[in-house]
Amino acid sequence: MNQPLSIIRTSLLLAALLFFSVAMAQTQQRIVIKTNAVTAITATTATVHYLVKAEEITVSSHGVCFSKMPDPTISDSTAGPNNKKSIYVGDMADLSGLAPRTRYYVRAWAVTPAGTVYGHSISFKTRKQKKN
């Protein structure tokens, strides 16, 4: 007796998953997110150059996320655009409070109506702390 109800629930769930997958695929086709470079690296700071370019889609916020582990997410540390002109096409974000002589992974991100979309990760290593 519950079998038809179970089939309907399963069908609705699959339809919702398919819709979400298509929406994410379309979002990723209309947005370009690139993590270009990390410059001005010191023992505790760095500047990340990145690009978020969206066509026909709303980007509510963007920036970079970083971590000591590969493929960081916005659940890790984040930094927003610093409103300076990048030497690359796009924006820049300043990272601070970093540990000396430590490898970090960073990537650009953007929030769209379909969710958070990420660029590729790049890594860099902070410099040795200078002695006074």
Side-chain angles (χ1 to χ4, degrees):
M1 199 141 166
N2 286 334
Q3 191 173 15
L5 189 56
S6 176
I7 291 171
I8 291 171
R9 284 183 188 157
T10 302
S11 297
L12 288 173
L13 178 62
L14 289 174
L17 288 173
L18 179 63
F19 175 78
F20 182 73
S21 296
V22 169
M24 282 301 289
Q26 289 175 345
T27 297
Q28 291 177 356
Q29 291 173 0
R30 294 186 292 178
I31 189 166
V32 174
I33 301 177
K34 293 182 180 178
T35 314
N36 291 324
V38 181
T39 62
I41 301 168
T42 71
T44 59
T45 64
T47 299
V48 182
H49 302 259
Y50 70 99
L51 171 69
V52 174
K53 182 178 177 184
E55 295 180 14
E56 299 178 22
I57 190 164
T58 302
V59 173
S60 58
S61 60
H62 63 87
V64 297
C65 51
F66 58 101
S67 173
K68 294 177 185 176
M69 301 298 293
D71 297 324
T73 68
I74 58 172
S75 297
D76 296 308
S77 299
T78 62
N82 66 10
N83 298 320
K84 296 178 185 172
K85 191 73 172 168
S86 175
I87 58 172
Y88 299 89
V89 175
D91 293 297
M92 295 187 325
D94 295 321
L95 311 183
S96 61
L98 305 175
R101 301 180 86 176
T102 303
R103 177 152 312 276
Y104 286 92
Y105 298 85
V106 62
R107 64 179 173 169
W109 58 268
V111 175
T112 71
T116 305
V117 184
Y118 294 93
H120 65 284
S121 292
I122 60 176
S123 69
F124 68 97
K125 188 173 182 178
T126 52
R127 309 274 188 242
K128 180 180 177 181
Q129 185 74 48
K130 291 182 179 180
K131 295 181 182 180
N132 292 336

